């Protein structure tokens, strides 16, 4: 399997409080990943950690083998990683 996205031991949260701990995921090229759960379990936090909207305190993220963890959100966007929150349809 050719790995597209590798996340290893990702830990992070808000200010000085970690809310996600040691998340590891490997996603192969052509694969899909769904993140499901009730409100408050960390889905948005996980997405923002990967996208760069919030800073991880520990771990590693690689896209096509290139390290992303220390790149700001705008650099991750140029690599093809983004976050689009759900909005209410009126």
């Amino acid at each position: 399997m050719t790995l597209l996205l590798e996340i290893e031991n990702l830990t992070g949260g808000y200010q000085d409080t970690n809310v996600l701990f040691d998340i590891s995921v490997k996603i192969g090229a052509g694969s899909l990943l769904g993140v499901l759960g009730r409100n408050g379990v960390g889905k948005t936090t996980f997405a923002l950690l990967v996208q760069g909207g919030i800073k991880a305190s520990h771990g590693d993220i690689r896209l096509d083998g290139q390290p992303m963890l220390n790149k700001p959100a705008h650099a991750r966007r140029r690599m093809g990683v983004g976050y689009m929150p759900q909005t209410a349809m009126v």
Side-chain angles (χ1 to χ4, degrees):
M1 167 175 69
T2 302
L3 289 176
L4 177 63
L5 182 65
E6 293 178 85
I7 300 168
E8 293 182 349
N9 302 318
L10 188 62
T11 297
Y14 304 93
Q15 288 85 33
D16 294 330
T17 304
N18 290 327
V19 296
L20 293 180
F21 301 89
D22 297 322
I23 305 295
S24 294
V25 178
K26 293 182 181 182
I27 303 171
S31 297
L32 297 173
L33 171 70
V35 180
L36 306 172
R38 62 180 176 74
N39 292 345
V41 298
K43 300 177 303 290
T44 299
T45 302
F46 174 70
L48 289 172
L49 283 167
V50 174
Q51 177 265 343
I54 57 178
K55 190 169 178 72
S57 60
H58 178 75
D60 194 21
I61 304 171
R62 288 182 300 281
L63 181 67
D64 272 339
Q66 296 182 30
M68 292 187 3
L69 190 66
N70 295 319
K71 294 183 186 292
H74 68 273
R76 294 180 194 199
R77 177 63 192 108
R78 279 188 236 121
M79 295 173 77
V81 176
Y83 173 73
M84 178 182 254
Q86 178 180 342
T87 58
M89 301 296 286
V90 182

